[in-house]
Amino acid sequence: MSVAHVTLRGVTKVFSRPGKGGEVHALGPLDLDLRSGEFFAVVGPSGCGKSTLLELIAGLATASAGEVAFEGRPIAGEIPDGVGVVFQEDACFPWLTVVDNIAFSLRKARLAPGERESRVRDAVAMMGLGGFERSYPAQLSGGMRQRVCIARTLVMKPRLILLDEPFGALDQQTRLLMGEEVLRLWRQTGATVFLITHALDEATMLADRIAVMSARPGRILEIVETGWPRERDSRVVEDARFGALTARLWQVLRQESMKSIGRPGGVPEGGA
Amino acid sequence: MNRALVLRVLALAAAVAVLEALCRVGVIDRFTMQPPSRIAVDLWSILATGKFNAAILKTLTNAGIAFALAVSVGIAAGVAIHGLKALREGLDPLFATYYAIPVLAFYPLLIILFGLGDAPQILIGFMLGVVAVIVNTLNGLDRVPRVLLKAARIGRLTPVEVATQVTLPYAVPYVLTGVKFAVSYAFIGIIGSEFVMSRGGMGFEIAFAYNNLDNATMYPLIVLILAVTISANLMIARWEKALLARRGLA
């Protein structure tokens, strides 16, 4: 259970700015271990490099320095097998039906006949998409489209699921319900989940551990353990510790958020 | 039938009726134009006797070849140019000014190069259409959301698979805009060059009929060309609309 599933050592990302000259130091140096099977969330001020961190783990970007490893093997801009990503933006293919969207990633997988269909059927059932198999994404709500994207990731049976603010575009009630669904999936699949979010309560509700990141260049300031049982749902918000944990995240984050919008944090010396 | 369609049909019918009346009353004399009802009868007899079948077949075949070449070369070139940023920057201004070139002016040169056969005519039709297909393919490819490209990378698609399974399917409705142009341009190129200089085809027959004041041949052939190009255009537009509706865009 406590085997490191993903390890980051001295990971740094520097972007050069073509045309403008100069460089932007976006991230790091940063060390992080994700335990196998845990639900890990990352919160941080806007532009702190959260998404860059996710892209480095997904193999969508390459670190300028340091090493990222998944299951002991280094990821160097290669998309590792066993990693699924759900993005904030709508990533449904608009010309494909729900089932064809879900089966998209399986096109390349060599599967026994019948296996493809049964995986798609299971994912449709799991994400509550029954009855919409032949619908096109444009006929679905934003929440339903995001379910399709999650289902498309699930059929690949990923061991690590990366979620890049997947509920960012949804309304509050849908977010809570989607959060419960993700918790259920996490328990059922046994996968490690890495969630990027800007919603502190969402992080507290869902995660086992929450990393708070600094303003750019993004570093990890603190890791908060929630100590929730594995069997849990959105009702943890009623728990007395929920408020205290969320408050702790905000305490760490407030100063950083002030910095990122260019204001000094904290109460001035001698002030009220 | 919805109201817009009814209005459209009525407007067309009214225009034809006015034309018919003007011809019948003599405002438009018979040497200038036959009444539409007469043109319809003449067209029917032309098709029934098969008198111009060879000419019709030649024009439709050549236009078909020019169209198919413009579409296939245009899409392939669009995909290739989209992938090469430097080439794209170099070519964009040329595409923007391309339609300032009177392509038909090159026809005599092409006849010298390829002889007075089908090849120069097909080339003219192709040259007119291909750039419209390239430009619209590029427009469609430019619109592919970045997140779909990321999803394709996560799915470990090869560059060819990305083009055939993600970017081109996304771009199809935009490519179809270019395809509609390619239909019109193929016919303009073929008929135009048949008018100017050729040994057959509908354009040649229309020009021949014109020189001989043979309105019973000229107008039916013009109407036939219109019928073919408009039906082709409508079919593609329908397809385009169906695809956009599926995406909630129409």
Side-chain angles (χ1 to χ4, degrees):
Chain A
M1 204 36 206
S2 61
V3 186
H5 202 199
V6 178
T7 51
L8 286 85
R9 291 288 173 270
V11 169
T12 305
K13 182 70 185 178
V14 177
F15 291 105
S16 57
R17 296 194 296 179
K20 293 178 187 170
E23 292 178 329
V24 178
H25 184 179
L27 191 75
L30 183 146
D31 294 328
L32 181 66
D33 285 316
L34 298 189
R35 298 170 193 155
S36 196
E38 78 171 325
F39 198 126
F40 192 93
V42 176
V43 295
S46 314
C48 75
K50 298 189 291 277
S51 291
T52 306
L53 177 60
L54 181 136
E55 295 201 341
L56 289 170
I57 298 173
L60 288 169
T62 323
S64 311
E67 193 188 72
V68 185
F70 171 61
E71 295 176 341
R73 275 190 301 276
I75 301 165
E78 281 283 312
I79 311 294
D81 186 35
V83 176
V85 187
V86 179
F87 300 98
Q88 177 180 2
E89 307 96 318
D90 178 9
C92 287
F93 299 112
W95 61 95
L96 296 178
T97 61
V98 165
V99 281
D100 289 338
N101 257 290
I102 295 173
F104 185 85
S105 316
L106 290 173
R107 287 183 187 182
K108 289 200 81 177
R110 287 197 189 83
L111 295 175
E115 170 73 8
R116 185 183 313 257
E117 289 70 22
S118 92
R119 282 200 195 185
V120 171
R121 220 179 306 120
D122 289 349
V124 165
M126 207 170 189
M127 293 315 297
L129 290 165
F132 295 95
E133 288 90 340
R134 296 283 151 212
S135 302
Y136 286 93
Q139 297 168 293
L140 306 177
S141 67
M144 294 280 273
R145 284 202 292 271
Q146 202 55 296
R147 282 163 198 260
V148 173
C149 292
I150 296 173
R152 191 166 72 200
T153 302
L154 285 181
V155 291
M156 298 304 287
K157 297 191 184 296
R159 301 182 295 281
L160 172 65
I161 302 175
L162 306 172
L163 304 170
D164 190 1
E165 303 207 24
F167 317 132
L170 307 179
D171 64 82
Q172 184 65 23
Q173 285 164 38
T174 311
R175 293 175 75 127
L176 283 169
L177 293 174
M178 290 293 283
E180 291 207 5
E181 304 243 9
V182 168
L183 278 175
R184 195 166 48 79
L185 294 177
W186 165 65
R187 276 197 300 274
Q188 286 176 3
T189 59
T192 308
V193 172
F194 179 86
L195 168 77
I196 302 268
T197 180
H198 60 261
L200 304 183
D201 52 347
E202 189 171 279
T204 313
M205 176 183 126
L206 298 174
D208 294 315
R209 295 194 298 153
I210 305 153
V212 184
M213 281 179 73
S214 68
R216 201 167 64 202
R219 292 187 180 86
I220 290 174
L221 295 170
E222 186 168 323
I223 293 183
V224 176
E225 297 239 10
T226 58
W228 303 129
R230 191 170 169 86
E231 291 293 328
R232 61 179 182 256
D233 57 33
S234 64
R235 282 173 297 177
V236 298
V237 300
E238 299 162 15
D239 193 293
R241 284 172 297 161
F242 182 84
L245 286 165
T246 310
R248 176 63 194 150
L249 295 179
W250 180 231
Q251 205 179 1
V252 183
L253 204 52
R254 184 171 178 273
Q255 286 223 326
E256 289 303 314
S257 299
M258 289 295 194
K259 261 190 233 169
S260 79
I261 60 171
R263 284 214 220 147
V267 180
E269 291 289 317
Chain B
M1 245 202 292
N2 61 39
R3 271 178 59 186
L5 186 60
V6 173
L7 274 173
R8 212 172 306 151
V9 172
L10 282 177
L12 269 175
V16 174
V18 169
L19 205 54
E20 179 83 27
L22 292 176
C23 291
R24 295 271 169 204
V25 174
V27 178
I28 299 174
D29 66 79
R30 294 260 159 151
F31 292 106
T32 307
M33 191 184 167
Q34 310 257 43
S37 59
R38 180 74 224 164
I39 295 173
V41 172
D42 289 340
L43 175 58
W44 177 251
S45 74
I46 280 175
L47 292 175
T49 58
K51 191 177 162 196
F52 290 109
N53 277 4
I56 293 168
L57 186 70
K58 173 184 168 343
T59 299
L60 292 186
T61 307
N62 286 353
I65 295 171
F67 167 75
L69 277 176
V71 169
S72 50
V73 172
I75 292 174
V79 171
I81 294 166
H82 187 76
L84 302 166
K85 288 275 171 291
L87 185 62
R88 172 80 186 271
E89 278 169 24
L91 289 178
D92 262 344
L94 298 183
F95 290 149
T97 50
Y98 183 80
Y99 284 99
I101 302 170
V103 171
L104 211 56
F106 292 105
Y107 186 47
L109 174 70
L110 293 176
I111 290 177
I112 293 166
L113 287 172
F114 299 104
L116 188 60
D118 295 335
Q121 294 166 19
I122 292 171
L123 261 174
I124 292 281
F126 163 77
M127 283 165 69
L128 277 169
V130 69
V131 171
V133 178
I134 293 176
V135 168
N136 283 287
T137 302
L138 286 172
N139 177 31
L141 294 175
D142 284 343
R143 289 168 185 263
V144 177
R146 285 171 61 96
V147 68
L148 296 189
L149 299 176
K150 279 193 207 170
R153 281 187 62 196
I154 294 291
R156 300 203 266 180
L157 268 57
T158 63
V160 174
E161 287 170 334
V162 172
T164 57
Q165 297 182 21
V166 179
T167 53
L168 273 178
Y170 185 91
V172 165
Y174 306 98
V175 175
L176 285 183
T177 306
V179 171
K180 278 191 292 186
F181 280 117
V183 172
S184 311
Y185 283 135
F187 275 95
I188 292 172
I190 300 296
I191 305 274
S193 42
E194 283 172 356
F195 270 145
V196 176
M197 202 184 293
S198 81
R199 290 189 295 237
M202 292 167 87
F204 169 81
E205 297 296 350
I206 290 169
F208 190 80
Y210 170 77
N211 289 329
N212 291 288
L213 300 175
D214 178 9
N215 283 355
T217 301
M218 185 176 90
Y219 281 108
L221 284 179
I222 292 173
V223 168
L224 184 61
I225 290 169
L226 283 177
V228 170
T229 52
I230 291 172
S231 336
N233 209 290
L234 281 179
M235 265 160 54
I236 299 167
R238 255 187 112 101
W239 185 20
E240 192 181 5
K241 206 176 163 189
L243 289 178
L244 287 173
R246 192 178 283 178
R247 299 183 187 190
L249 296 172

